[in-house]
Amino acid sequence: LRDVQFIRWCADIKGDYFPLNKNDLNDLRRDEALLMQARSAVHFLRKRKQDKLILEILPDAASLCGVKGYDPAKRGNDLLTSIHKAMVRVRSMGDALYRESFDADSRSFIDHQGIAGLKAGLEVFGIKSRTGAPLTREARRAVSGINSTNGISLTRSLKMLIDIFKGEFGWRASVEMLDSGVFKSFLPEFSKVSELVPYDGYHQYPPGRHSLLTVHKCCDIFRNEFSEGGKCISAADFDALLLGAFFHDIGKGKRNHSERGANIADEILS
């Protein structure tokens, strides 16, 4: 909700909401309403002004927010997924409004340039991975709208993804790929599990971000320990390691997720 206020403060100072468009502002209103509803549900259930949504009250909070279903765990997961998506959208809008309105002279941007398909989208994230430059709001909308793999094979897409992971700013690029929803266009199996809520003491993040963080740590270790040369795994083995790190939780959501994940990854890579 602070990010919503940040957007309004920036717009008040600037006099308009550009580069946000009508659809963005409609999303902003819906997202603000959901976040206010969730916060009110937490206050009601905890009988005090407490903004921490703990697991014990999650199913009841979901019901108060209008989430339907008999399964308490699924209700809770659906609410948290909606909240997470809302927070990502709001943060993205705030970043774009501030950067393109008040910080445009001090940085370079990756612009739209006719992004129309997956290949062009992956090329954009490749640039971000190498340079760290942010996408313009228009470019972010374009990659979020990618829904076709026409013109590029899955093998080529995975090779480009590995190169994105390896870039100096690969973590930033891969997280924006996740937040923009571009994975759903060529790896729907990953997209499907990426926002599941972890109900254990070992995972801080949902499987999507957790898997990308695992990839990032592998890249960090490789750069920090082997940048001077010496005994090291081959380039092909390192690529395989990154794919293994990326796919290691793709079977989440049901029992025996390791076995399921191995079968899913085998089908994708075969």
Side-chain angles (χ1 to χ4, degrees), residues 56-71:
E56 287 81 357
I57 66 170
L58 184 54
D60 291 333
S63 296
L64 288 173
C65 290
V67 180
K68 306 296 183 183
Y70 294 104
D71 185 343

Side-chain angles (χ1 to χ4, degrees), residues 158 161 165 183 187 190 207-208 211-212 214-215 241-250:
L158 290 173
L161 179 62
F165 289 155
F183 281 117
L187 290 170
F190 179 80
S211 297
L212 293 179
T214 305
V215 170
L241 174 65
L242 294 185
L243 286 176
F246 178 69
F247 285 126
H248 83 273
D249 266 348
I250 203 167

Side-chain angles (χ1 to χ4, degrees), residues 228-252:
E228 302 299 325
K231 196 171 183 179
C232 182
I233 63 175
S234 69
D237 284 344
F238 184 52
D239 288 356
L241 174 65
L242 294 185
L243 286 176
F246 178 69
F247 285 126
H248 83 273
D249 266 348
I250 203 167
K252 282 282 190 179

